[in-house]
Amino acid sequence: MSKRLQPDFYFDSVFSISPSFLFDHGIKAVILDIDNTLVPANEKLPSEQARLWVSELKSNKIAVMIASNNTKKRVSVFADPLDIPYVSECLKPSKKPVITACTLFGLKPSEIAVIGDQVFTDIGSARNGGALAILTKPINNTENPFVKLKRAAERPIVKDFIKNNKDKCFGKE
Ligand SMILES: [Mg+2]
C-alpha cells in the first residue's frame, strides 16, 4: 500500500492531541475536519468538548481552521460559534485547504497539520499540500454507504500503519 496515503501520526481521538505535541512538531496552525473528527457525522453544532479543545489551542497561539467537503451551510453553522475561519466543499484530497491556511495565517505548509478521520480525503489533502498528516479514529460509524465503502478500503492502510509505527500512535489501539 502506498506510503503516500499513510499518516505521520495516529490518535485515538482529536482531543488527545495537545498544544505541546503540536509545538514539538513545529506546528503553528491546524486544519480540522468536522464529521467524525470533532463531532459525530450528524451533529450540527460543536460539542462542549470540541469548544474547549479549540479554545485551548487558540489560547496557546495555535491557529485553527475548519476544512470540510460538506456544504457551506453545514460548515458555517458549525464553525461560526467557534469563531474560526473555514473552507467548505473543499474537495479534499485537494491541497486547497493547506494553501488557504498558508495565506490566511502567513505560514509554510510544514508549519500546518491537517487533522481528520479519513485517509483518502484528510491524509490525502495533507500530503498534496505538504502539511503534517494526523489521522484520528472516527468517532462513530453512522455513515452513508459511500463512506462505509471508503472505510473498508482504508482499513488495511490504517492497520498496517498502526502495526508498524507504534511510536507514532497515541491512544488505546
Ligand atoms: Mg470526517
Side-chain angles (χ1 to χ4, degrees):
M1 197 53 77
S2 167
K3 289 267 180 243
R4 208 178 141 64
L5 283 173
Q6 292 212 338
D8 293 303
F9 297 101
Y10 175 87
F11 280 78
D12 67 334
S13 162
V14 69
F15 306 119
S16 303
I17 305 170
S18 67
S20 60
F21 176 88
L22 297 169
F23 285 138
D24 288 350
H25 294 89
I27 297 304
K28 295 176 180 164
V30 293
I31 297 173
L32 302 172
D33 173 54
I34 302 177
D35 295 306
N36 264 327
T37 297
L38 280 170
V39 291
N42 40 14
E43 280 302 318
K44 285 197 172 60
L45 294 171
S47 60
E48 188 59 20
Q49 192 179 22
R51 287 169 197 260
L52 286 171
W53 183 75
V54 165
S55 65
E56 192 194 358
L57 293 190
K58 288 203 286 186
S59 63
N60 280 280
K61 303 272 185 287
I62 293 169
V64 184
M65 191 183 94
I66 295 266
S68 170
N69 284 353
N70 218 317
T71 60
K72 181 167 187 200
K73 186 162 179 258
R74 193 275 187 268
V75 179
S76 62
V77 165
F78 188 90
D80 287 346
L82 296 169
D83 194 25
I84 51 179
Y86 64 85
V87 282
S88 56
E89 297 169 68
C90 63
L91 305 173
K92 288 182 279 185
S94 156
K95 63 182 173 185
K96 181 181 159 193
V98 179
I99 293 170
T100 305
C102 286
T103 309
L104 208 56
F105 304 129
L107 298 172
K108 294 179 281 190
S110 60
E111 297 171 313
I112 292 169
V114 179
I115 304 175
D117 68 298
Q118 285 196 47
V119 169
F120 299 118
T121 52
D122 301 308
I123 301 309
S125 176
R127 289 279 170 257
N128 287 331
L132 191 78
I134 303 181
L135 183 68
T136 55
K137 187 180 173 186
I139 292 176
N140 66 20
N141 54 11
T142 56
E143 291 168 321
N144 66 49
F146 177 61
V147 176
K148 283 208 164 88
L149 268 179
K150 282 200 290 181
R151 294 270 179 231
E154 287 176 359
R155 212 164 290 132
I157 302 173
V158 179
K159 256 181 109 172
D160 181 64
F161 181 79
I162 292 173
K163 191 175 146 212
N164 295 307
N165 299 276
K166 295 224 174 346
D167 57 324
K168 294 176 184 165
C169 297
F170 302 91
K172 290 172 217 86
E173 289 180 79

